[in-house]
Amino acid sequence: LWDEMRTGDALVLAREADNRHDTNAVRVEWRGRRLGYLPRAENRAVAAEMDRGGKLAARIARLNRHLDPWKRIQVEVFVVL
């Protein structure tokens, strides 16, 4: 998938409140494929907004070829007004 992804591509955020590893889990998807999750240290505000029914949008802010998978894709999350 890496070669197909582009900066600015839309991402889908899916709340997983019943995730047994993290009650604030937010899954990140690109074109229907699961890429992973927002980092635990940064997902609380996004999860809370989703739980309140707030509308959020997300996109790829930066792609970085890195050995650490947590550093490969920078995600921007926006509150839609």
Side-chain angles (χ1 to χ4, degrees):
L1 300 176
W2 181 261
D3 292 328
E4 297 175 38
M5 291 189 283
R6 301 285 180 260
T7 299
D9 282 357
L11 299 169
V12 173
L13 301 177
R15 185 72 171 92
E16 287 189 7
D18 61 347
N19 185 302
R20 65 186 173 110
H21 301 288
D22 182 2
T23 59
N24 292 314
V26 178
R27 186 175 68 245
V28 179
E29 297 178 355
W30 175 80
R31 296 184 183 174
R33 300 205 179 185
R34 183 181 65 177
L35 296 179
Y37 293 83
L38 293 181
R40 184 185 312 251
E42 300 172 12
N43 66 4
R44 184 174 293 181
V46 175
E49 185 63 24
M50 293 177 86
D51 291 346
R52 282 192 293 272
K55 184 167 170 120
L56 301 173
R59 69 180 178 199
I60 297 174
R62 184 176 176 188
L63 295 167
N64 182 26
R65 292 191 184 272
H66 199 282
L67 292 176
D68 182 347
W70 289 101
K71 295 181 179 180
R72 291 181 187 157
I73 301 174
Q74 183 178 9
V75 175
E76 292 177 323
V77 179
F78 303 92
V79 175
V80 178
L81 302 175

